[in-house]
Amino acid sequence: MAGTITEKILKEHIIEGETKAGSEIALRIDNTLTQDATGTMAYLQFEAIGIDRVKTQFSVSFVDHNTLQTDFKNADDHKFLESMAKRYGLYFSKPGNGICHQLFLERFAKPGNTLIGSDSHTPTAGGIGCFAMGAGGLDVACAMAGAPFRIRYPKIVGIKLTGKLNPWVSAKDVILEVLRLVDVKGNVGKVFEYFGEGVKTLGVPDRATITNMGTETGCTTSIFPSDDITLEFLKAQGREKDFRRLEPDSDAVYDEVIHIDLSGIEPMVALPHSPGAVKRVREVGPVKVDQVAIGSCTNSSLRDLKIVSKALKGRTVSDTLHVFMSPGSRQVVEHLIEEGDYTDIVRAGVRIMENACGACIGMGCAPASNSVSVRTFNRNFEGRSGTKDAKVYLVSPETAAVTALTGFLTDPREIGEYPEIKLPDRFIINDNMIVKPLPIEEALNVEIFRGPNIKPLPTFDPLSDTLSGKALIKVGDNITTDHIMPAGAKILPFRSNIPEISKFVFEAVDTKFYQKAKESGGGFIIGGENYGQGSSREHAALAPKYLGVKAVIVKSFARIHLANLINFGIVPLTFKNPADYDNLEEGDDLVVEIGDLKGGCILKNMTKGIEIELEHTLSDMDAEILKTGGKLPWIKKNFEE
Ligand code: MIC
Ligand code: SF4
């Protein structure tokens, strides 16, 4: 039967469920990845499940987020992660080796495999034809223990690419165009699958930029075919053995098709404060820029940084701004050094940072007050840069480089001839910052290192049939996990310490939230559409749970956050009639009879004396997990049985 790539991969991995859009399926997971900021929790949870060694084909633990090491906390976390990897049979990538998604693409990703990662940009590996999804740490822990991953069978949206990109226009502009067309909400349960003649004009790093930032649409994942270009990339990485051809059949049927003519795309920009607020650069009036940041898992490949170096070669960045760059991996840096690009970049006046997430997650390089920062990153949520009133614009490496030269947001086509770049036939391969899994006999003797900042996992009681308490906060649409559980240099070091990190819940929205939740003994969160968009951090569920949040009542949820709420025993409910959002205020006393969670339920607003009908999309298994008090006690019970 004819098929899309998505159908082909899912067919090989489906263990349970119907191949019908919307029905729950269980998938066998071949590989997992974690990064340090979500990894410590994931491994504590894996340890609690009580398995001796990971059961996947292979799993990788990266360190790339929390790399400042201003005191013992991050360093302790890194040692903990390394000892966990050795004890349980994982690959461990040391801090400084690079950003997890860039490294996974270079050294690990396989076409046709399934991958889940405790980071929302795991779909980067979709650039090589891997079916890769972001998930909460607990789901990754379960997959490492051999459990399947449950999703809704997706609606497959075919994005048909024709034509060829013009000079100074690149993959980032393509994904910004996709975001302009589909926005950041309304795409839950969809897979964006790229096909058509235009695919052949894009290299693997370009494809990975597109699937990486596809995350911002809220879809399950994005994927490209695995073709001759993929083979060429894998050969250049010395990994041709990992190649497998994977293309859609010529008569494959998509649930919906979006046509994009690559030759019609112009340099694009996402305006503050949403990756979905996209315009053409030339349509945005002159914007004076104070800072330019190049890097992040979206745009830090050799291709991207070489374009920057060629654009800057022999020139000097504008006196009126500061520019910095964080390369995606050591392989990228080694090439930049060998081929002279590093010198050109440094000479032009760029500050070079570590091969890590860095500024993208507010780990340094926060912009000045009320200033404008132009970044090649994937997210520009308010305050994420570390400066609440900074205005962050998201652009391609081409636009960033030319903006760095002019001092104003600039359409790069104004600068002249587009430089030719050639990627190596054979990349420099040096895996000496990747520690390999130990043989089982040795692994069993490894002692886990636990510093004082690694606190034991909190435990929670089973849920009762009636939930009552105050509406602790009422927020609007598109609330991100950065609003719920901010990151940045101050807060990230507490990712392994739930009592401490919970003090920062909703800090950027309501500084009194922690106090209110404590005083009321917990309660409810009220929100609008697309609640929980953005990252996969389960701390945005776990920390509110720790503060006694019982249910989140909103108009709609983002996929990963919804799963995280279930995993930690917070009931995710939606309004049957979205207009009822207006019938709830912060401070209202609420009672919700959830019963066995098999159907909808009624919310009584005791303060206003009204009743509101609520719904949910929970499967019977989700309901059971919630009632048990979360996925960890539930999975332990199941593994024991
Ligand atoms: C992000 O880009 O927001 C992060 C930081 O990579 C998160 C993970 C985290 O919060 O640790 C993500 O995208 O999932
Ligand atoms: Fe790291 Fe930023 Fe990518 Fe998240 S989006 S993984 S913080 S580089």
Side-chain angles (χ1 to χ4, degrees):
M1 209 179 76
T4 60
I5 317 165
T6 304
E7 285 167 307
K8 292 180 190 197
I9 302 180
L10 292 184
K11 196 167 161 212
E12 287 174 14
H13 291 84
I14 195 161
I15 297 173
E16 238 178 79
E18 253 188 286
T19 55
K20 201 175 96 214
S23 65
E24 192 177 82
I25 55 166
L27 287 179
R28 184 169 49 78
I29 296 300
D30 299 320
N31 309 124
T32 65
L33 74 77
T34 56
Q35 40 89 340
D36 51 317
T38 53
T40 51
M41 273 295 140
Y43 295 107
L44 286 171
Q45 291 164 153
F46 176 76
E47 194 183 31
I49 296 172
I51 301 277
D52 255 341
R53 197 172 173 87
V54 290
K55 293 219 153 76
T56 48
Q57 274 174 20
F58 64 84
S59 289
V60 194
S61 172
F62 294 93
V63 179
D64 56 0
H65 281 62
N66 262 318
T67 54
L68 281 189
Q69 298 179 222
T70 47
D71 64 14
F72 65 93
K73 294 192 209 70
N74 293 167
D76 281 4
D77 281 357
H78 303 166
K79 267 187 98 170
F80 166 78
L81 291 168
E82 183 159 1
S83 63
M84 276 283 177
K86 287 187 170 150
R87 168 65 188 81
Y88 291 106
L90 289 96
Y91 288 90
F92 176 74
S93 166
K94 292 186 189 176
N97 196 30
I99 305 175
C100 57
H101 307 303
Q102 173 68 23
L103 287 170
F104 198 86
L105 189 78
E106 290 173 359
R107 308 301 307 139
F108 294 99
K110 291 188 183 180
N113 270 19
T114 51
L115 162 74
I116 65 168
S118 61
D119 192 282
S120 64
H121 291 104
T122 303
T124 312
I128 215 167
C130 175
F131 197 85
M133 295 163 285
L138 181 48
D139 283 323
V140 175
C142 292
M144 289 191 287
F149 181 55
R150 291 176 183 274
I151 53 165
R152 300 264 164 199
Y153 194 86
K155 252 193 169 170
I156 305 164
V157 180
I159 304 202
K160 182 175 179 179
L161 301 179
T162 54
K164 190 174 178 305
L165 291 171
N166 284 311
W168 295 105
V169 181
S170 66
K172 181 64 160 286
D173 301 305
V174 178
I175 188 59
L176 287 170
E177 172 65 5
V178 172
L179 275 152
R180 190 180 73 84
L181 296 172
V182 307
D183 201 9
V184 294
K185 61 179 162 64
N187 303 302
V188 171
K190 295 181 182 172
V191 166
F192 289 111
E193 181 173 317
Y194 291 82
F195 73 106
E197 278 311 301
V199 163
K200 303 260 178 287
T201 67
L202 301 170
V204 167
D206 308 312
R207 298 173 183 187
T209 291
I210 295 173
T211 58
N212 169 289
M213 201 172 171
T215 296
E216 271 47 71
T217 68
C219 66
T220 304
T221 190
S222 307
I223 191 164
F224 270 83
S226 171
D227 54 12
D228 291 342
I229 289 164
T230 320
L231 175 60
E232 213 175 282
F233 177 83
L234 283 169
K235 266 192 192 152
Q237 289 288 355
R239 299 207 288 125
E240 53 269 51
K241 278 211 296 302
D242 290 339
F243 177 70
R244 170 185 166 190
R245 192 170 294 279
L246 203 55
E247 286 173 301
D249 296 326
S250 54
D251 49 353
V253 180
Y254 299 89
D255 291 304
E256 184 190 330
V257 172
I258 298 173
H259 177 203
I260 294 179
D261 175 7
L262 295 174
S263 48
I265 296 184
E266 296 187 36
M268 310 293 278
V269 54
L271 309 178
H273 300 282
S274 171
V278 177
K279 283 217 152 74
R280 290 176 186 86
V281 174
R282 68 175 164 85
E283 286 168 1
V284 182
V287 178
K288 192 184 161 304
V289 176
D290 304 282
Q291 182 193 64
V292 172
I294 297 159
S296 94
C297 55
T298 323
N299 280 127
S300 58
S301 68
L302 183 60
R303 189 227 84 101
D304 290 344
L305 303 195
K306 263 187 160 301
I307 276 290
V308 172
S309 98
K310 299 293 178 237
L312 298 184
K313 189 178 166 75
R315 299 178 162 116
T316 294
V317 305
S318 165
D319 278 352
T320 58
L321 48 64
H322 297 185
V323 187
F324 55 87
M325 169 185 281
S326 23
S329 72
R330 220 164 37 119
Q331 185 182 71
V332 171
V333 175
E334 281 195 51
H335 277 282
L336 293 177
I337 293 172
E338 289 234 332
E339 291 152 34
D341 297 284
Y342 203 91
T343 312
D344 294 332
I345 294 169
V346 172
R347 209 165 266 162
V350 176
R351 259 173 94 181
I352 305 216
M353 318 302 289
E354 196 180 7
N355 315 325
C357 300
C360 178
I361 194 55
M363 273 281 167
C365 300
S369 295
N370 202 22
S371 64
V372 168
S373 180
V374 167
R375 302 178 158 207
T376 65
F377 305 170
N378 48 36
R379 290 186 174 145
N380 57 350
F381 305 143
E382 194 176 3
R384 181 176 159 103
S385 64
T387 305
K388 189 151 174 28
D389 57 6
K391 291 179 244 356
V392 176
Y393 293 69
L394 306 176
V395 300
S396 69
E398 286 82 348
T399 302
V402 175
T403 296
L405 293 172
T406 62
F408 288 85
L409 179 68
T410 306
D411 184 327
R413 293 172 298 182
E414 289 172 17
I415 198 171
E417 211 175 309
Y418 194 42
E420 278 267 334
I421 58 158
K422 174 148 169 37
L423 290 180
D425 296 329
R426 180 87 179 173
F427 287 99
I428 301 167
I429 295 161
N430 174 4
D431 288 334
N432 68 2
M433 284 179 92
I434 298 176
V435 183
K436 292 208 180 64
L438 289 180
I440 180 89
E441 325 71 68
E442 269 180 69
L444 290 173
N445 294 323
V446 171
E447 236 181 84
I448 304 298
F449 174 88
R450 270 172 243 269
N453 189 45
I454 300 201
K455 298 291 181 222
L457 289 174
T459 53
F460 305 114
D461 296 331
L463 283 190
S464 59
D465 288 355
T466 308
L467 308 178
S468 55
K470 281 196 187 308
L472 297 170
I473 191 168
K474 182 176 176 183
V475 290
D477 291 344
N478 294 321
I479 286 295
T480 70
T481 53
D482 279 280
H483 290 108
I484 307 167
M485 187 71 261
K490 186 176 85 180
I491 307 177
L492 271 179
F494 295 115
R495 283 288 181 95
S496 324
N497 184 343
I498 300 304
E500 204 47 46
I501 206 169
S502 68
K503 295 181 181 156
F504 300 97
V505 172
F506 277 121
E507 204 205 26
V509 183
D510 176 2
T511 48
K512 299 242 159 50
F513 183 85
Y514 173 72
Q515 202 185 320
K516 284 185 206 161
K518 277 283 188 204
E519 280 166 12
S520 318
F524 298 90
I525 293 170
I526 314 300
E529 281 190 77
N530 197 24
Y531 181 83
Q533 75 159 318
S535 89
S536 68
R537 65 191 71 148
E538 59 193 355
H539 300 74
L542 180 49
K545 175 73 180 182
Y546 183 78
L547 297 179
V549 171
K550 296 166 187 165
V552 176
I553 303 162
V554 299
K555 293 184 188 168
S556 65
F557 288 101
R559 175 186 67 89
I560 309 178
H561 188 59
L562 173 70
N564 285 337
L565 289 173
I566 299 168
N567 286 352
F568 292 100
I570 297 183
V571 187
L573 297 164
T574 48
F575 296 102
K576 184 162 188 200
N577 172 9
D580 276 331
Y581 170 83
D582 298 330
N583 289 325
L584 295 176
E585 297 306 328
E586 186 187 312
D588 286 355
D589 278 308
L590 311 179
V591 177
V592 188
E593 297 291 344
I594 55 165
D596 61 4
L597 277 169
K598 293 277 157 69
C601 47
I602 300 290
L603 175 154
K604 291 187 189 137
N605 185 336
M606 308 309 266
T607 309
K608 295 213 168 78
I610 49 173
E611 291 194 350
I612 291 172
E613 278 187 89
L614 300 177
E615 296 180 325
H616 61 70
T617 52
L618 303 168
S619 65
D620 288 354
M621 189 184 287
D622 294 336
E624 212 184 290
I625 291 172
L626 276 168
K627 293 291 287 190
T628 319
K631 193 159 183 177
L632 197 52
W634 180 86
I635 197 117
K636 272 165 80 179
K637 200 174 105 215
N638 276 275
F639 268 95
E640 274 156 25
E641 280 167 13

